[in-house]
Amino acid sequence: MVNFSFNDEQQELRANLQAFISEHVTDTVRNELADAHAGNGKGPHLRALHEDIFRRGWMAVSWPKEYGGQSGETITQFIVEEEFLRGCDMRMGAGGTGGPAILASGTEEQKKKYVPGAARLDITFCQGYSEPHCGTDLAGIRCRATRDDDKYVINGQKIYTTNAQNATHIFLLARTDPESTRQAGLSVLLVPMNTAGITVRPLWTIQHEPQAPSNTTYGETRTNEVFFDNVEVPVSCLLGKEGDGWNVTKRGLNLDRVGAWRYLMSVRRTEDIVNLLKSDNEAVVGLRDDPAVRDTIADLWIEAQMCRLMTMRSLSIAGRRGEFVHEGSGEKVVGPEHGVRATEAISQILGPYGALLSSSLEAIESGVYAHNLLGAFQSTVNHGSVQVMRDQIARKGLGMPKPAGSPKARSSTLTTS
Ligand SMILES: Cc1cc2nc3c(=O)[nH]c(=O)nc-3n(C[C@H](O)[C@H](O)[C@H](O)COP(=O)(O)OP(=O)(O)OC[C@H]3O[C@@H](n4cnc5c(N)ncnc54)[C@H](O)[C@@H]3O)c2cc1C
């Protein structure tokens, strides 16, 4: 029999996390968090909080102890992630940190150099894959890393590099074999962002003006362009084998994306509207008694549970070091599309209030619902678009052949499983 409930110890952990967050994640910490995100470094309160969380064993829970983790279970990590995301919008698990990718493909020296720092969030990575002419079709990458004795010299441009303004390092997918085409001849380099010759330029998003309130889930106000102009790094920055960057990236992306973050990003929209309708907010008076509203909420809730269960399946695969086939792709379709449906439904339920952004004095909760509506769609594109994910499910999950005459791009997308 499958048991979907959490045991007493896990419930106790949840309660401890909730108490900790309400006591320690103060307004000062939240302000410092926003500051750090803007690229201004960690303030003293945020630094102390991270230390405290680390000491309590809530960072890098499932990573090996010898590399700064806790050697704990993935389900424990999932609970920690869920509570920090729900309680204070902090991404406190291991996903998105780069650690799992380095553990999977790095040398012993690299694991010791980067993983303990990543576990404490002192080392943070941004992802340098997309370029102006290639996002889905990543095999068309032109950024070059030319070997010159014991170093690589990098020239080229990346685009949509989220968090480049505050990351200490970039996972850079570059062409190391100048004669190569498509997937062959690509390599991954771990490049410190403070290396001479790197320029980061902001690309402001739709959430920049008026600025999305800080609790907007899809509220990223900027992503970036990153330029490499004769950037020199030692060959020890190479992750995995030279020329094997395609596989290194694929493996890393699969591992890095497992966790509560993706599903909660979408599902929290449904939780938002439920909480709002239960509240005494004047703008929603009477709405909770409307049968059509109640039906919509119930449908969203069923879908939300499906998203959560799919995430837990991926966690279970990762926990037993199993092989991903199509599971990540399924999650990546269902979660973001749920988020879009939920934000649209919220907008309809709230009527005119649902359209008011942060600049409006009449906006409910500083316009967070309207800003989430603006931002939800992008989650169906980044990290591999839902169209491409469906293609992967058809081919890898259901064993369907490639459509006759399909473009090369179909076999050259780098996405989760
Ligand atoms: C907010 C945001 C943050 C991002 N952050 C990062 C980041 O940190 N690092 C990074 O490297 N990249 C990042 N990206 C880039 C993202 O991964 C790409 O936008 C994405 O891969 C799509 O590539 P593209 O924009 O070039 O669109 P295209 O590849 O041109 O795709 C356009 C449309 O065509 C469809 N399409 C393309 N090829 C196929 C196909 N073979 N089969 C079916 N449909 C197809 C796509 O589904 C999409 O709907 C981010 C993007 C966004 C929006």
Side-chain angles (χ1 to χ4, degrees):
M1 194 177 76
V2 179
N3 184 354
F4 288 106
S5 55
F6 292 95
N7 63 30
D8 289 349
E9 201 184 323
Q10 290 161 341
Q11 299 286 17
E12 193 185 327
L13 171 64
R14 263 191 207 289
N16 288 341
L17 286 160
Q18 286 164 9
F20 175 86
I21 290 165
S22 74
E23 186 181 344
H24 296 275
V25 184
T26 57
D27 286 346
T28 313
V29 167
R30 286 176 201 267
N31 290 338
E32 288 188 10
L33 196 63
D35 236 25
H37 193 66
N40 301 326
K42 278 192 207 177
H45 299 87
L46 181 59
R47 200 168 279 285
L49 181 82
H50 280 171
E51 274 302 312
D52 198 357
I53 295 172
F54 184 82
R55 268 198 310 275
R56 288 167 193 258
W58 293 336
M59 277 188 183
V61 176
S62 67
W63 301 4
K65 270 213 162 101
E66 57 187 307
Y67 303 116
Q70 302 295 327
S71 294
E73 293 184 28
T74 45
I75 193 71
T76 311
Q77 186 164 299
F78 175 77
I79 293 168
V80 171
E81 281 188 4
E82 269 195 324
E83 292 306 327
F84 273 103
L85 282 165
R86 269 218 186 80
C88 56
D89 267 318
M90 282 169 76
R91 200 169 169 188
M92 204 40 76
T97 52
I102 296 171
L103 285 170
S105 303
T107 60
E108 192 53 30
E109 197 186 337
Q110 286 170 332
K111 290 180 200 173
K112 292 206 168 109
K113 178 171 176 184
Y114 297 109
V115 180
R120 287 171 170 264
L121 298 180
D122 290 336
I123 293 180
T124 49
F125 287 91
C126 57
Q127 305 198 329
Y129 305 122
S130 305
E131 296 185 5
H133 57 280
C134 68
T136 303
D137 184 19
L138 262 193
I141 272 180
R142 293 183 195 158
C143 180
R144 279 172 294 124
T146 310
R147 182 86 180 246
D148 176 11
D149 201 10
D150 59 351
K151 59 179 190 277
Y152 287 103
V153 183
I154 307 164
N155 281 288
Q157 184 196 343
K158 295 289 167 181
I159 197 167
Y160 302 129
T161 320
T162 308
N163 284 329
Q165 76 276 16
N166 55 38
T168 59
H169 291 71
I170 182 167
F171 265 91
L172 183 77
L173 187 64
R175 197 162 290 288
T176 40
D177 177 356
E179 305 300 320
S180 67
T181 54
R182 314 300 294 166
Q183 292 99 324
L186 297 174
S187 303
V188 173
L189 299 173
L190 305 173
V191 180
M193 287 299 284
N194 60 4
T195 315
I198 297 182
T199 307
V200 176
R201 204 187 280 166
L203 273 180
W204 301 109
T205 73
I206 198 169
Q207 305 287 19
H208 180 57
E209 188 55 58
Q211 181 140 358
S214 59
N215 55 340
T216 313
T217 298
Y218 308 102
E220 202 68 67
T221 56
R222 83 179 262 189
T223 175
N224 301 280
E225 291 178 290
V226 184
F227 299 88
F228 298 84
D229 184 11
N230 285 321
V231 173
E232 294 187 5
V233 291
V235 287
S236 57
C237 288
L238 177 71
L239 182 66
K241 292 198 182 82
E242 187 176 287
D244 196 33
W246 192 260
N247 291 323
V248 169
T249 305
K250 201 155 69 173
R251 208 176 302 134
L253 285 178
N254 272 335
L255 291 167
D256 225 20
R257 290 171 181 178
V258 176
W261 173 71
R262 182 191 287 158
Y263 105 83
L264 263 185
M265 171 189 251
S266 309
V267 163
R268 283 180 65 205
R269 307 292 66 79
T270 296
E271 296 175 352
D272 286 347
I273 187 64
V274 172
N275 290 335
L276 183 64
L277 290 176
K278 286 201 246 170
S279 77
D280 296 328
N281 193 312
E282 298 183 345
V284 298
V285 169
L287 284 177
R288 61 179 169 225
D289 302 321
D290 181 332
V293 170
R294 296 173 83 93
D295 275 4
T296 303
I297 302 279
D299 284 344
L300 289 173
W301 193 252
I302 292 165
E303 208 172 79
Q305 298 315 305
M306 190 168 74
C307 296
R308 187 166 192 260
L309 289 176
M310 288 178 84
T311 294
M312 295 188 77
R313 179 176 64 175
S314 291
L315 274 172
S316 145
I317 295 171
R320 60 186 145 82
R321 309 264 180 271
E323 182 92 358
F324 282 90
V325 185
H326 52 83
E327 295 80 0
S329 304
E331 250 188 271
K332 178 64 184 44
V333 171
V334 171
E337 290 191 347
H338 171 75
V340 170
R341 268 193 291 279
T343 52
E344 285 174 0
I346 291 171
S347 168
Q348 283 176 7
I349 290 169
L350 297 181
Y353 285 106
L356 299 181
L357 295 168
S358 61
S359 48
S360 167
L361 293 176
E362 307 292 318
I364 307 177
E365 295 177 18
S366 310
V368 68
Y369 300 99
H371 279 280
N372 272 328
L373 176 68
L374 280 186
F377 179 76
Q378 53 89 0
S379 70
T380 66
V381 176
N382 62 14
H383 290 177
S385 73
V386 292
Q387 290 86 351
V388 170
M389 293 298 157
R390 286 195 164 88
D391 188 50
Q392 304 237 336
I393 293 166
R395 290 197 288 115
K396 294 191 185 164
L398 306 175
M400 291 176 69
K402 278 190 216 170
S406 67
K408 265 192 167 175
R410 283 184 188 273
S411 60
S412 62
T413 50
L414 254 184
T415 52
T416 42
S417 56

